[in-house]
Amino acid sequence: MQEVPDISENETWVIRTTLQERYKEPIELQIADAEIRLRPSDRDVTSCPVWYWEKDGCHFVMFKTGTRKYRSQFFYRPYQQYGTGVHEYTDIAECVVSLLQAQADHEAKERGDI
């Protein structure tokens, strides 16, 4: 099984700072672990650290899948899961900004703004 490095303080700082800029208020950021398949062909799952937060009924998850490797998704209910369209990022700032933009675009589409 592949070993995924732990979350660093710098990575968490990037996410917290980005969330503060977006929402203009502190957002509770939780750190947990999830078991996922790193590649679709994997038969086994790998334990990965994740960042999780919730805002206005939307849940956000960012997975650390390796050294400088990140995935993200947001969901409202377990059957309403969305991503950014990018399988994996090598820059954490790009990952979190893309996730927040994808969710904002989704909300605007749901309201009929776009």
Side-chain angles (χ1 to χ4, degrees), residues 40-90:
S41 61
D42 287 351
R43 300 188 102 193
D44 296 321
V45 294
T46 300
S47 181
C48 297
V50 300
W51 295 270
Y52 167 84
W53 68 95
E54 186 271 329
K55 179 70 176 160
D56 298 330
C58 185
H59 307 268
F60 299 84
V61 182
M62 284 184 52
F63 304 86
K64 182 171 182 175
T65 57
T67 302
R68 293 184 49 84
K69 293 182 181 180
Y70 311 95
R71 295 182 191 169
S72 59
Q73 69 179 41
F74 65 95
F75 62 95
Y76 297 90
R77 292 180 180 82
Y79 60 88
Q80 292 179 302
Q81 297 180 16
Y82 307 94
T84 64
V86 175
H87 178 69
E88 198 163 65
Y89 292 88
T90 57

Side-chain angles (χ1 to χ4, degrees), residues 80-111:
Q80 292 179 302
Q81 297 180 16
Y82 307 94
T84 64
V86 175
H87 178 69
E88 198 163 65
Y89 292 88
T90 57
D91 181 279
I92 193 166
E94 183 182 1
C95 184
V96 68
V97 168
S98 296
L99 177 63
L100 293 172
Q101 186 61 56
Q103 191 270 335
D105 291 347
H106 175 79
E107 287 283 319
K109 185 177 178 184
E110 290 292 307
R111 287 191 310 269

Side-chain angles (χ1 to χ4, degrees), residues 26-42:
I27 299 296
E28 182 183 351
L29 187 60
Q30 299 177 33
I31 296 175
D33 289 307
E35 291 184 335
I36 64 171
R37 287 185 176 82
L38 295 180
R39 289 170 296 285
S41 61
D42 287 351

